CSV table of all heavy atoms in Angstrom, one decimal:
chain,number,residue,atom,x,y,z
Z,36,ALA,N,78.1,68.6,120.8
Z,36,ALA,CA,77.7,70.0,120.6
Z,36,ALA,C,78.2,70.9,121.8
Z,36,ALA,O,78.7,72.0,121.5
Z,36,ALA,CB,76.2,70.2,120.5
Z,37,SER,N,78.0,70.5,123.0
Z,37,SER,CA,78.4,71.3,124.1
Z,37,SER,C,79.9,71.4,124.2
Z,37,SER,O,80.5,72.5,124.5
Z,37,SER,CB,77.9,70.8,125.4
Z,37,SER,OG,78.3,69.5,125.7
Z,38,ARG,N,80.6,70.3,123.9
Z,38,ARG,CA,82.1,70.4,123.8
Z,38,ARG,C,82.6,71.3,122.7
Z,38,ARG,O,83.5,72.1,122.9
Z,38,ARG,CB,82.6,69.0,123.7
Z,38,ARG,CG,84.2,68.8,123.6
Z,38,ARG,CD,85.0,69.1,124.9
Z,38,ARG,NE,84.5,68.6,126.1
Z,38,ARG,CZ,84.8,67.4,126.7
Z,38,ARG,NH1,85.5,66.6,126.0
Z,38,ARG,NH2,84.3,67.1,127.8
Z,39,LEU,N,82.0,71.2,121.6
Z,39,LEU,CA,82.3,72.1,120.4
Z,39,LEU,C,82.1,73.5,120.8
Z,39,LEU,O,83.0,74.4,120.5
Z,39,LEU,CB,81.5,71.7,119.2
Z,39,LEU,CG,81.9,72.4,117.9
Z,39,LEU,CD1,83.3,72.1,117.5
Z,39,LEU,CD2,81.0,72.0,116.8
Z,40,GLN,N,81.1,73.9,121.5
Z,40,GLN,CA,80.8,75.2,122.0
Z,40,GLN,C,81.9,75.7,122.9
Z,40,GLN,O,82.4,76.8,122.8
Z,40,GLN,CB,79.4,75.3,122.6
Z,40,GLN,CG,79.1,76.7,123.1
Z,40,GLN,CD,79.0,77.7,122.0
Z,40,GLN,OE1,78.3,77.4,120.9
Z,40,GLN,NE2,79.5,78.9,122.1
Z,41,ALA,N,82.3,74.8,123.8
Z,41,ALA,CA,83.4,75.1,124.8
Z,41,ALA,C,84.7,75.4,124.0
Z,41,ALA,O,85.5,76.3,124.4
Z,41,ALA,CB,83.5,74.1,125.8
Z,42,ILE,N,85.0,74.5,123.0
Z,42,ILE,CA,86.2,74.7,122.3
Z,42,ILE,C,86.2,76.0,121.5
Z,42,ILE,O,87.2,76.8,121.5
Z,42,ILE,CB,86.4,73.5,121.3
Z,42,ILE,CG1,86.7,72.2,122.1
Z,42,ILE,CG2,87.5,73.8,120.3
Z,42,ILE,CD1,86.6,71.0,121.2
Z,43,ALA,N,85.1,76.3,120.9
Z,43,ALA,CA,84.9,77.6,120.1
Z,43,ALA,C,85.1,78.8,121.1
Z,43,ALA,O,85.8,79.7,120.7
Z,43,ALA,CB,83.6,77.7,119.5
Z,44,GLU,N,84.5,78.7,122.2
Z,44,GLU,CA,84.7,79.9,123.2
Z,44,GLU,C,86.1,80.0,123.6
Z,44,GLU,O,86.7,81.1,123.6
Z,44,GLU,CB,83.8,79.6,124.4
Z,44,GLU,CG,82.3,79.9,124.1
Z,44,GLU,CD,81.4,79.5,125.3
Z,44,GLU,OE1,81.9,79.2,126.4
Z,44,GLU,OE2,80.2,79.5,125.1
Z,45,PHE,N,86.8,78.9,123.9
Z,45,PHE,CA,88.2,79.0,124.3
Z,45,PHE,C,89.1,79.5,123.2
Z,45,PHE,O,90.0,80.3,123.4
Z,45,PHE,CB,88.7,77.6,124.8
Z,45,PHE,CG,90.1,77.7,125.3
Z,45,PHE,CD1,90.4,78.2,126.6
Z,45,PHE,CD2,91.2,77.2,124.5
Z,45,PHE,CE1,91.7,78.3,127.0
Z,45,PHE,CE2,92.5,77.3,125.0
Z,45,PHE,CZ,92.8,77.9,126.3
Z,46,LEU,N,88.8,79.1,122.0
Z,46,LEU,CA,89.6,79.5,120.8
Z,46,LEU,C,89.1,80.9,120.2
Z,46,LEU,O,89.6,81.3,119.2
Z,46,LEU,CB,89.6,78.4,119.8
Z,46,LEU,CG,90.2,77.1,120.1
Z,46,LEU,CD1,90.1,76.1,119.0
Z,46,LEU,CD2,91.6,77.3,120.6
Z,47,GLN,N,88.2,81.5,120.9
Z,47,GLN,CA,87.7,82.8,120.6
Z,47,GLN,C,87.2,82.9,119.1
Z,47,GLN,O,87.6,83.7,118.3
Z,47,GLN,CB,88.8,83.9,120.8
Z,47,GLN,CG,89.3,83.9,122.2
Z,47,GLN,CD,90.5,84.7,122.3
Z,47,GLN,OE1,91.2,85.2,121.4
Z,47,GLN,NE2,91.0,84.9,123.6
Z,48,THR,N,86.3,82.0,118.8
Z,48,THR,CA,85.7,81.9,117.5
Z,48,THR,C,84.3,81.4,117.6
Z,48,THR,O,83.8,81.1,118.7
Z,48,THR,CB,86.6,81.0,116.5
Z,48,THR,OG1,86.1,81.3,115.2
Z,48,THR,CG2,86.5,79.6,116.9
Z,49,SER,N,83.6,81.3,116.5
Z,49,SER,CA,82.3,80.8,116.5
Z,49,SER,C,82.3,79.3,116.1
Z,49,SER,O,83.2,78.9,115.5
Z,49,SER,CB,81.4,81.6,115.5
Z,49,SER,OG,81.9,81.3,114.2
Z,50,VAL,N,81.2,78.6,116.5
Z,50,VAL,CA,81.1,77.2,116.1
Z,50,VAL,C,81.2,77.0,114.6
Z,50,VAL,O,81.7,76.1,114.1
Z,50,VAL,CB,79.9,76.6,116.7
Z,50,VAL,CG1,79.6,75.2,116.2
Z,50,VAL,CG2,80.0,76.6,118.3
Z,51,SER,N,80.6,78.0,113.9
Z,51,SER,CA,80.6,77.9,112.4
Z,51,SER,C,82.0,77.8,111.8
Z,51,SER,O,82.2,77.3,110.7
Z,51,SER,CB,79.8,79.0,111.8
Z,51,SER,OG,80.4,80.2,112.1
Z,52,PHE,N,83.0,78.3,112.5
Z,52,PHE,CA,84.4,78.3,112.0
Z,52,PHE,C,84.8,76.9,111.7
Z,52,PHE,O,85.5,76.6,110.7
Z,52,PHE,CB,85.3,78.9,113.1
Z,52,PHE,CG,86.8,78.7,112.7
Z,52,PHE,CD1,87.4,79.7,111.9
Z,52,PHE,CD2,87.5,77.7,113.2
Z,52,PHE,CE1,88.7,79.5,111.6
Z,52,PHE,CE2,88.8,77.5,113.0
Z,52,PHE,CZ,89.4,78.5,112.1
Z,53,PHE,N,84.3,75.9,112.5
Z,53,PHE,CA,84.7,74.5,112.3
Z,53,PHE,C,84.1,73.8,111.2
Z,53,PHE,O,84.4,72.7,110.8
Z,53,PHE,CB,84.5,73.8,113.6
Z,53,PHE,CG,85.2,74.3,114.8
Z,53,PHE,CD1,84.5,75.0,115.8
Z,53,PHE,CD2,86.6,74.3,114.9
Z,53,PHE,CE1,85.2,75.5,116.9
Z,53,PHE,CE2,87.2,74.8,116.0
Z,53,PHE,CZ,86.5,75.5,117.0
Z,54,PHE,N,83.1,74.5,110.6
Z,54,PHE,CA,82.4,73.9,109.4
Z,54,PHE,C,82.7,74.6,108.1
Z,54,PHE,O,82.2,74.4,107.1
Z,54,PHE,CB,80.9,74.0,109.7
Z,54,PHE,CG,80.5,73.2,110.9
Z,54,PHE,CD1,80.4,73.8,112.1
Z,54,PHE,CD2,80.3,71.8,110.7
Z,54,PHE,CE1,80.0,73.0,113.2
Z,54,PHE,CE2,80.0,71.0,111.8
Z,54,PHE,CZ,79.8,71.6,113.1
Z,55,GLU,N,83.7,75.5,108.1
Z,55,GLU,CA,84.2,76.2,106.9
Z,55,GLU,C,84.7,75.1,105.9
Z,55,GLU,O,85.3,74.2,106.3
Z,55,GLU,CB,85.3,77.2,107.2
Z,55,GLU,CG,84.8,78.4,107.9
Z,55,GLU,CD,85.8,79.5,108.2
Z,55,GLU,OE1,87.0,79.3,107.7
Z,55,GLU,OE2,85.5,80.4,108.8
Z,56,GLY,N,84.3,75.3,104.6
Z,56,GLY,CA,84.7,74.4,103.6
Z,56,GLY,C,83.7,73.3,103.3
Z,56,GLY,O,83.7,72.6,102.4
Z,57,GLN,N,82.6,73.3,104.2
Z,57,GLN,CA,81.5,72.4,104.0
Z,57,GLN,C,80.6,73.1,103.0
Z,57,GLN,O,80.7,74.2,102.6
Z,57,GLN,CB,80.7,72.2,105.3
Z,57,GLN,CG,81.6,71.6,106.4
Z,57,GLN,CD,82.1,70.2,106.1
Z,57,GLN,OE1,81.4,69.3,105.6
Z,57,GLN,NE2,83.4,69.9,106.3
Z,58,GLU,N,79.7,72.3,102.5
Z,58,GLU,CA,78.7,72.8,101.5
Z,58,GLU,C,78.0,74.0,102.2
Z,58,GLU,O,77.4,73.9,103.2
Z,58,GLU,CB,77.7,71.8,101.1
Z,58,GLU,CG,78.2,70.7,100.2
Z,58,GLU,CD,78.7,71.3,98.9
Z,58,GLU,OE1,78.0,72.1,98.3
Z,58,GLU,OE2,79.8,70.8,98.4
Z,59,THR,N,78.1,75.2,101.5
Z,59,THR,CA,77.4,76.4,102.0
Z,59,THR,C,76.7,77.0,100.9
Z,59,THR,O,76.9,76.7,99.7
Z,59,THR,CB,78.4,77.4,102.6
Z,59,THR,OG1,79.4,77.7,101.6
Z,59,THR,CG2,79.1,76.8,103.8
Z,60,ILE,N,75.8,78.0,101.2
Z,60,ILE,CA,75.1,78.7,100.3
Z,60,ILE,C,76.1,79.8,99.7
Z,60,ILE,O,76.8,80.4,100.5
Z,60,ILE,CB,73.9,79.4,100.8
Z,60,ILE,CG1,72.9,78.4,101.3
Z,60,ILE,CG2,73.2,80.3,99.8
Z,60,ILE,CD1,71.7,78.9,102.1
Z,61,GLY,N,76.2,79.9,98.5
Z,61,GLY,CA,77.1,80.9,97.8
Z,61,GLY,C,77.5,80.4,96.5
Z,61,GLY,O,77.2,79.3,96.1
Z,62,THR,N,78.4,81.2,95.9
Z,62,THR,CA,78.8,80.8,94.5
Z,62,THR,C,79.9,79.7,94.7
Z,62,THR,O,80.6,79.6,95.7
Z,62,THR,CB,79.4,82.0,93.8
Z,62,THR,OG1,80.6,82.4,94.4
Z,62,THR,CG2,78.4,83.1,93.7
Z,63,ASP,N,80.1,79.0,93.6
Z,63,ASP,CA,81.1,78.0,93.6
Z,63,ASP,C,82.5,78.6,93.8
Z,63,ASP,O,83.4,78.1,94.4
Z,63,ASP,CB,81.1,77.1,92.3
Z,63,ASP,CG,79.9,76.2,92.2
Z,63,ASP,OD1,79.3,75.9,93.3
Z,63,ASP,OD2,79.5,75.8,91.1
Z,64,THR,N,82.7,79.8,93.2
Z,64,THR,CA,83.9,80.5,93.3
Z,64,THR,C,84.2,80.9,94.8
Z,64,THR,O,85.3,80.7,95.2
Z,64,THR,CB,83.9,81.8,92.4
Z,64,THR,OG1,83.6,81.4,91.1
Z,64,THR,CG2,85.3,82.5,92.5
Z,65,GLU,N,83.2,81.4,95.5
Z,65,GLU,CA,83.4,81.7,96.9
Z,65,GLU,C,83.8,80.4,97.7
Z,65,GLU,O,84.7,80.5,98.5
Z,65,GLU,CB,82.1,82.3,97.5
Z,65,GLU,CG,81.8,83.7,97.0
Z,65,GLU,CD,80.5,84.2,97.4
Z,65,GLU,OE1,79.6,83.3,97.9
Z,65,GLU,OE2,80.2,85.4,97.3
Z,66,ASN,N,83.1,79.3,97.4
Z,66,ASN,CA,83.4,78.1,98.1
Z,66,ASN,C,84.8,77.6,97.8
Z,66,ASN,O,85.6,77.2,98.7
Z,66,ASN,CB,82.4,77.0,97.8
Z,66,ASN,CG,81.1,77.3,98.4
Z,66,ASN,OD1,80.9,78.0,99.3
Z,66,ASN,ND2,80.0,76.7,97.8
Z,67,MET,N,85.2,77.8,96.5
Z,67,MET,CA,86.6,77.3,96.1
Z,67,MET,C,87.6,78.1,96.8
Z,67,MET,O,88.6,77.5,97.3
Z,67,MET,CB,86.7,77.5,94.6
Z,67,MET,CG,88.1,77.0,94.1
Z,67,MET,SD,88.4,77.5,92.4
Z,67,MET,CE,88.5,79.2,92.5
Z,68,HIS,N,87.5,79.4,96.9
Z,68,HIS,CA,88.5,80.2,97.6
Z,68,HIS,C,88.5,79.9,99.1
Z,68,HIS,O,89.6,79.9,99.7
Z,68,HIS,CB,88.2,81.7,97.3
Z,68,HIS,CG,88.4,82.1,95.9
Z,68,HIS,ND1,89.6,81.9,95.2
Z,68,HIS,CD2,87.6,82.7,95.0
Z,68,HIS,CE1,89.5,82.4,94.0
Z,68,HIS,NE2,88.3,82.8,93.8
Side-chain angles (χ1 to χ4, degrees):
S37 61
R38 177 69 44 89
L39 186 59
Q40 181 65 43
I42 292 169
E44 287 174 7
F45 183 76
L46 297 178
Q47 302 167 355
T48 192
S49 65
V50 171
S51 64
F52 173 85
F53 302 111
F54 297 96
E55 287 180 6
Q57 302 295 315
E58 288 297 318
T59 58
I60 298 172
T62 67
D63 289 339
T64 304
E65 288 172 346
N66 290 337
M67 179 189 69
H68 292 305

